[in-house]
Amino acid sequence: MNQFPLLALAIAMAAGLFMSRLVRYVRLPNVTAYLVAGVLLGPVFGVLDVTTTSSLSIISDVALGFIAYSIGAEFKLSYLKNIGVKPIVITCFESAFASLVVFLALNALGQPLPVSLTLAAIAAATAPAATLMVIRQYKAKGPVCSMLLPVVAMDDATGLILYAVLSNLAISLDKKGVELNVVSLLLMPLLQIILSLLLGLAIGFLLAFVLRFFHSRGNKLALTLCAVFLGVGLSATNVLNLSSLLVCMMIGAALVNLSQGSDAMLEQCDRFTPPLFMLFFVLSGAGLDFSVLTTVGLVGVTYVLARVAGKVLGATLGAVVEKCDRNIVRYLGLTLIPQAGVAIGMARLAMQDLPEYGAIINAVVLAGTLIYELTGPVITKTALLKAGEITPENAAPKKKAA
């Protein structure tokens, strides 16, 4: 199959589409369907082997760029001014506590520091798609939903920044015979973050400027592709070696704040990216190494439980500090359990950055994603029902064709 990459992509897309139809009957999100399809094609039936998925890594690189780009587009300054500081404070609390609890739990198990640090960074990310799907499906409204939307929008950005810091620390610790000092542990990761954001800002500024000379939908989409490709490509060069996630996130943030035509470009991007994301998730599932799962069972369980505990504790404390509505204090943390795209993306990067531990990290995150995506939407729905933000009428199953 490695000799026929287009055939491999066709099979991956067909399997993803077919599985997405099947999961409708059990009301699961599409990302779960894509991951299951990948697992069936890869580890189970061997249609897509590790060599094939590795040869198609460019798909993952581009998909990660667009995921980060769409996250950055959520950071419109006028919107951030309107929502105030409460979501920001809560996001910092729940992200930090999720990372801290996961790190302490894995460290207590005796895991190597690079593994504990990297999984701690990945633990901060939340999947906004699954959460938004529940809110839209059941037409949920109320204080918890109003707080939840900005929190999940900022959550992945916090996770990307944590990953940039902690992954660099993990890489430094993983390098045998390299002397560790303040420069390698703190200043270099900080410099990488600053340079990544500056490069993204420069590309975003250039994109906003050039956009004024192109008006058709096709040209706007071409400009978006060019900007994301440029960000990912420059980040991967040996000279720069920056974080492509932070670069692309900053491109989106710069565009949405500098250009009045950003809405049209983002709409075009939303139409283009679904097949790309489908391939990303299917290939991620196909690349899962089942042999590693047998060795990380306890690590995986610890990661799943510790992350949930950290999210709930952090969100609760943040809401208490900001004196939020009682229902926000009680239920917001339970709505932050889903985890998917950005977490999987960071795990894929870990396979490149930490070859010795990457397979373990990837296996834990993918297994955790399947669990979170199976249980997260159900828990979110239950929490919003208890908060009174989903009416019994909207919660009842609708009798109409899919």
Side-chain angles (χ1 to χ4, degrees), residues 292-309:
V292 177
L293 285 178
T294 60
T295 65
V296 298
L298 182 58
V299 179
V301 172
T302 302
Y303 171 80
V304 169
L305 296 179
R307 177 180 173 273
V308 172

Side-chain angles (χ1 to χ4, degrees), residues 231-247:
V232 174
L234 288 177
S235 302
T237 59
N238 293 329
V239 176
L240 295 177
N241 193 27
L242 301 179
S243 169
S244 61
L245 295 177
L246 288 180
V247 171

Side-chain angles (χ1 to χ4, degrees), residues 31-167:
V31 64
T32 305
Y34 302 151
L35 288 172
V36 171
V39 169
L40 292 175
L41 288 177
V44 176
F45 297 116
V47 178
L48 301 179
D49 55 22
V50 176
T51 304
T52 301
T53 56
S54 298
S55 68
L56 298 172
S57 61
I58 189 173
I59 299 294
S60 298
D61 294 338
V62 173
L64 286 174
F66 276 102
I67 289 173
Y69 173 81
S70 62
I71 292 171
E74 298 290 335
F75 287 86
K76 201 164 189 175
L77 292 179
S78 58
Y79 172 70
L80 294 178
K81 289 179 181 178
N82 289 334
I83 64 175
V85 299
K86 286 185 178 181
I88 298 175
V89 172
I90 292 176
T91 301
C92 291
F93 265 88
E94 53 92 4
S95 298
F97 269 84
S99 295
L100 178 61
V101 174
V102 167
F103 174 76
L104 293 176
L106 294 178
N107 200 44
L109 284 180
Q111 290 299 303
L113 276 177
V115 174
S116 300
L117 286 169
T118 305
L119 285 174
I122 294 173
T126 300
T131 302
L132 292 175
M133 180 195 70
V134 174
I135 293 176
R136 290 173 180 172
Q137 180 177 351
Y138 299 106
K139 301 177 182 178
K141 292 181 181 180
V144 178
C145 289
S146 297
M147 185 63 68
L148 174 60
L149 293 174
V151 167
V152 295
M154 292 183 286
D155 209 25
D156 283 339
T158 307
L160 294 180
I161 294 172
L162 280 173
Y163 181 82
V165 175
L166 296 182
S167 65

Side-chain angles (χ1 to χ4, degrees), residues 5 68 244 283-284:
S244 61
L283 293 175
S284 295

